[in-house]
Amino acid sequence: MADIEITTPSTIQEIIYESSRLRFLLAETFRLPLEEIDAIRLDSDNFKIDIYTKLTYFRLKPKGPENILITNPETRVLEMQFDPVLAQAVYRIIEEFGYASSAVN
């Protein structure tokens, strides 16, 4: 299935609120207010989520059930982290919103 880009603010908020771990990561690690998110791209073929703002983007890509590649907000390099909760959340978000959102956007 093709990538799905979600730009509707209410759907972006639904996606972010699907996972408390994702909300924490955006707020504490990325220091990114929800209103600055312009789009979320869901890639169901490669199981990754890209979160776009006007200035930059962040990538979340699970590597199995326990590890995830995350964009480092300072270096902009993808780094592997042990975070089973976030990895599972990304899989769940892609499964739930990747197909359902294709009708919305």
Side-chain angles (χ1 to χ4, degrees):
M1 175 172 262
D3 290 3
I4 297 170
E5 185 168 306
I6 298 166
T7 56
T8 308
S10 61
T11 307
I12 290 171
Q13 186 171 6
E14 276 184 64
I15 290 170
I16 301 304
Y17 276 87
E18 178 67 22
S19 166
S20 60
R21 178 68 182 117
L22 177 58
R23 280 193 317 277
F24 177 82
L25 179 77
L26 292 174
E28 297 300 319
T29 302
F30 296 161
R31 304 273 185 218
L32 181 64
L34 288 180
E35 59 273 3
E36 288 186 18
I37 299 173
D38 294 324
I40 294 178
R41 181 177 292 270
L42 305 175
D43 181 345
S44 59
D45 291 337
N46 297 302
F47 292 102
K48 67 182 177 189
I49 295 176
D50 292 333
I51 299 172
Y52 293 91
T53 70
K54 288 185 184 359
L55 302 175
T56 191
Y57 82 97
F58 300 98
R59 176 164 287 167
L60 308 166
K61 183 172 179 31
K63 298 303 255 180
E66 296 182 337
N67 296 305
I68 188 162
L69 286 170
I70 301 175
T71 304
N72 179 310
E74 294 174 7
T75 64
R76 306 302 309 152
V77 174
L78 284 173
E79 295 179 349
M80 185 75 74
Q81 294 185 8
F82 176 79
D83 194 333
V85 173
L86 185 59
Q88 292 300 313
V90 170
Y91 286 127
R92 189 175 59 250
I93 289 168
I94 289 171
E95 184 177 303
E96 183 175 334
F97 291 92
Y99 299 105
S101 296
S102 62
V104 175
N105 285 316

